[in-house]
Amino acid sequence: MSNGTEKTFRDIQESSGRCISKTIAGIQKSIKSQKAPATWIRDLECLSLTNFNSARGKKRKFNENEPERKRLDRVTINPFKRSYIAISYPWEPSDGEPQTCDRYAISTRGNGGSPAPNKVRDSVLDRAVRYAEHYECPSFWIDYENIDQDNKDEKETAVQSMDQVYKYAERSIALLWIWIESVEELDFLADLLKNQSLCSDPENSRRQPISCYDQRCQGALELLDRITSDNWWQRAWTYQEDYLAGPYMKLLVRHHPKLQRRKSAKLFGNIPGELAIDSTSFREAAATFCTAHKASLNKRTCQKILQRAPKYEVRRYQDNTANAVKPMFPLIFKDISSRDITYPSDRLAITANCCSYSIRINIKPSRRTRGDSSIYLLVLALLNGEVLVNTDDKDAQLLDVSVFRFLENHCVAMDPLVDKQLTFQKSCRFQKVRLSSKGIRTQGHIWRIGERKIDVDLMPGAPFQKGCSDGESWWLTGRERWWLERLARHLRSGNEGKRFRRLSKMLHEYHQEDLDDMQHRRPPTSWGELMTLMAREVVDAMKSENKILRLGARIRDLPDKSCHPYTGIFVVDAKQSQSVSYAFTSFEPARKRQRSLDKHVSLLVMPKGNQHSSPSFVARGWISGLCFFSGEQEDEDREDADEKDTDEEDTDEEDDSDKGNDEEDIDQDDKEVNVVFRWPKSFTVSGEHQNTDCNAWRPDTSDVTR
């Protein structure tokens, strides 16, 4: 399986001999679904220094002719107590780094057996032990020693569980080999981390931005370039470890002994010979500096630094307009694929770990040099519910872009208010996805949005409402509840029509339940958090001149001309056409016994194609909406129902006849329906000289773990 990350869809189509939609469907048909590994992490093997409280530890000789070695024991710990350090380092040594492996004696697995020499470089273990001793954390985890490299099954399970290892570590450290030599370099680094401008005039108390020609500015850029040129930044595996550890990752950078007294303990710690730099702060400082100065300094160097040490919150807001912000997963895909890795197929596991995907695609080692990685990454994203808008149905140039450019251009963008909740955006995914040659099949609710808008100017007043303080985001504030009560009274008045009284009652009951939860300090369920965010979107629209409210009624099929009560309030752009439109929503809570996220979508959609089987749509973008159901939307009930679902393989024939119904026990009013989101037209058409035989190609996958 080669890299293939720059291949276009046309290249993939020509190599497979089939249209893109059939290639995607073929990959899913060839894989089987299993549960994702969830038990490996429970008994985590770590290394521990014998006689840890002794500064030198216990030493041992293998024979009289060999030097003494420091003893490290294998211990099994409970990782959920967060009592270990995770070590991140590149397996390949840097230039000038010693490659010796003979300073430690590590106990063997199982009962009995003499200790064996270390397999990891002495330089790595020396720094790991010194850090563990300094912080009095007796156990540390290091992949090459603590994963049985001769056990293929354990290696595969461990690869799929790296997110768990770094999630539960008390501390994580990255071992860089670069060297800070001078006081000037140390001061540059300190000023960057303190978010101070590098002014040439030390008496400038206002700290105005420096001139682009200032030597200090150029020196800081050269230092950032040198730090991010370390081998640690180049590897896909270490990128994953940094991303997963998040705020718990420290970059260990060696320095000259003369700098020990000068360095700030608050910024760099006080480990002799090491600067312990917060990785998140470093990447944010580097991104801010390079973004501010890339137009005046060496733009190419700035771009390289931004790519090596990405800070997504900075990059996302640069790359998007002020009105909508796109999700992070296309940037994560692109950064992982740009980094070095021995087996390109391992990018699938790395990507799944970083994006918290519960469905995994594994490639057998014997097939790791065959195929194209980018199309597998696309299938991985789609199987895990990532949402793509379809605005280029008739664009013939769509086949001439790469998978990563396609993901960047077609991921769904969200309003800034919603975007404040990064977890919310990460969870914007379809549920129960199956792929076929027709499109993406999923489940949820279809809403017909009426033509008439709610006239905010006619809303009556309302008494003062109690609410939480502005700093408590779990519940509504008094001001937000006041706006919702005004809307409920307006709908109940009959000025908008008698059918709105049911919605008025639901709206009033919702914010009263929210008030009761706040008064009793009950944390909301995941469904409650979603409702709070959407309620804030509705309130924001009532105060905005650019947004209007339109009501929605749930329908079960298309076309559906029957009369349904309105039970949803949607926020649309004031410039949008006032004709009838449609929305699609779905929600699936995280499963307690599986590694999964909450999944929810709220999309503006357009009917597409034949509607005689499952309703078919194309997604046009995000639409915020406050939706109510007659039945309770409790997490536990939904989870119990989900556990009964099976992951049967889909076929093209099943896609054309989605008439089955396996949820008869669910309230008919609240029952979700099967829908299909169609592929872009370019994905369903083969080239003139392509082999259109559906059986002409088979992908090189082995299995999927869920």
Side-chain angles (χ1 to χ4, degrees):
M1 184 169 169
S2 60
N3 189 327
T5 56
E6 297 302 322
K7 285 189 176 182
T8 66
F9 283 110
R10 194 177 302 278
D11 295 332
I12 297 170
Q13 181 173 276
E14 291 176 354
S15 63
S16 68
R18 310 174 79 186
C19 61
I20 298 300
S21 63
K22 289 188 178 295
T23 298
I24 291 173
I27 291 177
Q28 178 175 264
K29 287 183 188 179
S30 67
I31 55 183
K32 60 182 180 180
S33 180
Q34 298 176 355
K35 291 185 178 181
T39 58
W40 178 83
I41 188 68
R42 294 177 184 172
D43 297 311
L44 187 66
E45 178 188 289
C46 290
L47 298 183
S48 180
L49 189 64
T50 304
N51 298 331
F52 190 80
N53 292 328
S54 170
R56 302 179 66 181
K58 184 177 180 179
K59 294 188 176 181
R60 175 190 178 100
K61 283 186 177 183
F62 287 109
N63 56 59
E64 294 298 327
N65 297 324
E66 291 185 353
E68 289 186 340
R69 291 177 169 88
K70 186 174 289 190
R71 172 72 178 266
L72 293 175
D73 290 330
R74 299 184 188 275
V75 295
T76 300
I77 66 168
N78 179 359
F80 307 117
K81 293 183 178 180
R82 303 182 69 90
S83 58
Y84 66 96
I85 301 170
I87 312 297
S88 174
Y89 71 103
W91 283 15
E92 292 296 324
S94 301
D95 293 339
E97 182 178 3
Q99 301 185 38
T100 57
C101 301
D102 60 2
R103 200 172 297 163
Y104 292 84
I106 301 178
S107 61
T108 56
R109 293 184 178 88
N111 297 323
S114 301
N118 50 297
K119 299 177 182 178
V120 174
R121 300 187 298 277
D122 292 336
S123 58
V124 172
L125 288 176
D126 286 344
R127 299 174 74 187
V129 168
R130 185 162 59 245
Y131 187 90
E133 287 179 330
H134 181 83
Y135 285 101
E136 298 183 350
C137 184
S139 301
F140 61 91
W141 183 90
I142 190 163
D143 53 3
Y144 199 73
E145 294 286 0
N146 292 121
I147 299 174
D148 188 350
Q149 301 298 316
D150 297 325
N151 187 328
K152 294 182 179 179
D153 292 337
E154 181 182 344
K155 283 178 64 176
E156 181 58 40
T157 303
V159 164
Q160 300 286 355
S161 304
M162 286 299 99
D163 54 333
Q164 304 289 292
V165 172
Y166 284 86
K167 174 182 178 181
Y168 295 114
E170 177 185 359
R171 301 169 184 266
S172 297
I173 58 172
L175 304 181
L176 281 65
W177 188 250
I178 64 158
W179 175 265
I180 300 298
E181 175 74 27
S182 67
V183 172
E184 185 181 36
E185 289 179 332
L186 184 66
D187 290 344
F188 284 162
L189 195 52
D191 285 345
L192 284 168
L193 293 173
K194 289 186 290 187
N195 199 24
Q196 293 181 353
S197 58
L198 299 172
C199 294
S200 56
D201 181 7
E203 297 180 359
N204 186 353
S205 60
R206 296 183 63 186
R207 299 188 183 278
Q208 296 293 332
I210 62 174
S211 166
C212 63
Y213 301 103
D214 195 296
Q215 291 182 354
R216 283 175 56 80
C217 182
Q218 183 62 39
L221 181 68
E222 292 174 358
L223 177 63
L224 289 174
D225 185 36
R226 191 157 63 86
I227 291 175
T228 57
S229 295
D230 189 274
N231 280 355
W232 185 83
W233 299 97
Q234 317 303 321
R235 301 292 295 177
W237 287 109
T238 49
Y239 166 91
Q240 169 194 233
E241 291 153 7
D242 187 26
Y243 183 89
L244 295 174
Y248 300 103
M249 178 64 79
K250 296 289 185 181
L251 308 176
L252 261 60
V253 176
R254 302 176 306 134
H255 68 77
H256 195 283
K258 67 182 180 182
L259 303 178
Q260 183 65 32
R261 288 191 175 184
R262 185 178 180 89
K263 70 181 182 182
S264 166
K266 183 177 180 180
L267 290 176
F268 303 119
N270 54 8
I271 303 174
E274 301 274 14
L275 302 178
I277 305 169
D278 182 78
S279 177
T280 301
S281 299
F282 174 81
R283 287 184 285 107
E284 183 173 2
T288 302
F289 179 85
C290 291
T291 300
H293 298 290
K294 66 181 179 181
S296 53
L297 292 172
N298 188 318
K299 184 175 181 180
R300 189 172 183 178
T301 301
C302 288
Q303 293 287 12
K304 287 195 298 183
I305 295 170
L306 289 170
Q307 193 276 330
R308 295 168 187 159
K311 182 62 177 173
Y312 291 112
E313 285 78 0
V314 177
R315 278 176 59 182
R316 289 192 312 145
Y317 284 99
Q318 292 174 333
D319 298 341
N320 296 285
T321 65
N323 295 326
V325 183
K326 291 186 176 181
M328 294 191 298
F329 79 89
L331 299 177
I332 295 173
F333 276 40
K334 189 174 182 179
D335 283 340
I336 292 173
S337 295
S338 68
R339 282 165 166 74
D340 298 333
I341 197 167
T342 304
Y343 297 111
S345 61
D346 287 342
R347 290 192 177 98
L348 295 170
I350 293 173
T351 303
N353 287 332
C354 290
C355 295
S356 301
Y357 288 160
S358 58
I359 297 177
R360 309 296 178 98
I361 298 179
N362 301 330
I363 308 297
K364 289 182 178 179
S366 61
R367 297 177 175 180
R368 284 182 170 179
T369 59
R370 299 158 53 187
D372 172 64
S373 64
S374 61
I375 191 66
Y376 286 87
L377 287 170
L378 175 61
V379 172
L380 177 68
L382 296 177
L383 283 174
N384 282 278
E386 298 290 7
V387 181
L388 302 176
V389 296
N390 184 352
T391 57
D392 295 322
D393 270 19
K394 300 179 181 178
D395 187 1
Q397 303 301 316
L398 188 59
L399 290 178
D400 295 320
V401 302
S402 68
V403 169
F404 299 111
R405 179 60 60 87
F406 172 75
L407 291 174
E408 286 182 90
N409 293 342
H410 291 77
C411 60
V412 63
M414 295 187 182
D415 294 335
L417 181 64
V418 167
D419 181 71
K420 292 178 183 178
Q421 303 287 339
L422 295 180
T423 302
F424 177 93
Q425 192 177 51
K426 188 175 183 179
S427 295
C428 178
R429 298 175 184 174
F430 288 131
Q431 60 164 316
K432 303 181 182 70
V433 171
R434 295 180 184 177
L435 307 177
S436 73
S437 61
K438 303 296 183 183
I440 303 169
R441 178 185 172 188
T442 183
Q443 294 180 359
H445 299 283
I446 307 169
W447 299 80
R448 185 174 60 216
I449 303 176
E451 301 178 16
R452 187 172 179 177
K453 71 173 184 177
I454 297 298
D455 195 336
V456 178
D457 295 333
L458 297 179
M459 292 197 310
F464 172 78
Q465 302 289 315
K466 294 181 180 180
C468 68
S469 61
D470 291 338
E472 297 177 306
S473 59
W474 277 356
W475 308 286
L476 297 172
T477 65
R479 192 67 178 172
E480 290 166 342
R481 193 170 284 109
W482 178 79
W483 277 99
L484 293 177
E485 179 61 22
R486 288 185 64 195
L487 178 57
R489 291 183 175 216
H490 179 58
L491 295 173
R492 188 168 62 247
S493 68
N495 292 334
E496 298 286 354
K498 64 179 182 179
R499 284 193 292 125
F500 300 163
R501 293 177 180 174
R502 179 180 181 183
L503 178 57
S504 170
K505 180 181 178 182
M506 290 178 165
L507 184 59
H508 177 77
E509 290 175 348
Y510 158 68
H511 76 75
Q512 288 301 313
E513 290 173 0
D514 178 84
L515 176 62
D516 185 64
D517 288 341
M518 184 206 70
Q519 291 175 335
H520 290 85
R521 316 303 293 178
R522 286 193 294 262
T525 62
S526 54
W527 172 252
E529 290 184 89
L530 176 62
M531 292 289 283
T532 300
L533 282 171
M534 291 298 97
R536 289 186 173 131
E537 287 283 273
V538 170
V539 170
D540 185 63
M542 286 191 281
K543 297 185 290 185
S544 172
E545 296 180 355
N546 300 320
K547 301 287 185 180
I548 61 174
L549 299 180
R550 291 167 65 184
L551 303 185
R554 274 185 297 124
I555 59 177
R556 298 201 56 79
D557 209 343
L558 290 174
D560 189 335
K561 298 182 180 180
S562 56
C563 185
H564 297 273
Y566 288 103
T567 56
I569 306 169
F570 290 91
V571 178
V572 298
D573 196 302
K575 299 179 182 179
Q576 184 176 314
S577 170
Q578 298 301 303
S579 60
V580 173
S581 54
Y582 295 90
F584 173 81
T585 66
S586 72
F587 173 77
E588 180 184 58
R591 300 180 180 182
K592 296 178 181 178
R593 294 176 291 277
Q594 296 186 21
R595 291 155 52 189
S596 64
L597 297 173
D598 297 328
K599 293 182 179 180
H600 49 73
V601 296
S602 182
L603 300 173
L604 184 66
V605 298
M606 184 178 74
K608 182 72 174 179
N610 188 347
Q611 303 295 338
H612 293 300
S613 54
S614 294
S616 298
F617 299 96
V618 292
R620 290 307 191 190
W622 179 265
I623 182 172
S624 296
L626 187 58
C627 303
F628 300 97
F629 301 86
S630 58
E632 293 185 355
Q633 197 86 359
E634 293 295 337
D635 291 4
E636 292 78 11
D637 294 341
R638 292 289 306 277
E639 183 176 343
D640 291 341
D642 291 341
E643 293 295 338
K644 298 177 182 179
D645 291 342
T646 58
D647 293 308
E648 299 173 356
E649 295 183 4
D650 200 8
T651 64
D652 293 345
E653 291 76 12
E654 288 173 339
D655 184 69
D656 291 329
S657 58
D658 295 330
K659 300 177 182 179
N661 182 355
D662 56 358
E663 301 182 17
E664 295 296 340
D665 57 325
I666 299 177
D667 190 327
Q668 186 70 17
D669 290 338
D670 293 340
K671 181 183 166 186
E672 294 176 333
V673 297
N674 293 322
V675 301
V676 175
F677 283 86
R678 295 281 179 170
W679 300 120
K681 186 176 180 181
S682 300
F683 281 15
T684 61
V685 179
S686 299
E688 294 180 0
H689 304 291
Q690 302 302 325
N691 179 2
T692 58
D693 182 4
C694 295
N695 299 316
W697 179 84
R698 286 291 180 269
D700 294 329
T701 55
S702 59
D703 63 343
V704 166
T705 56
R706 188 182 188 108

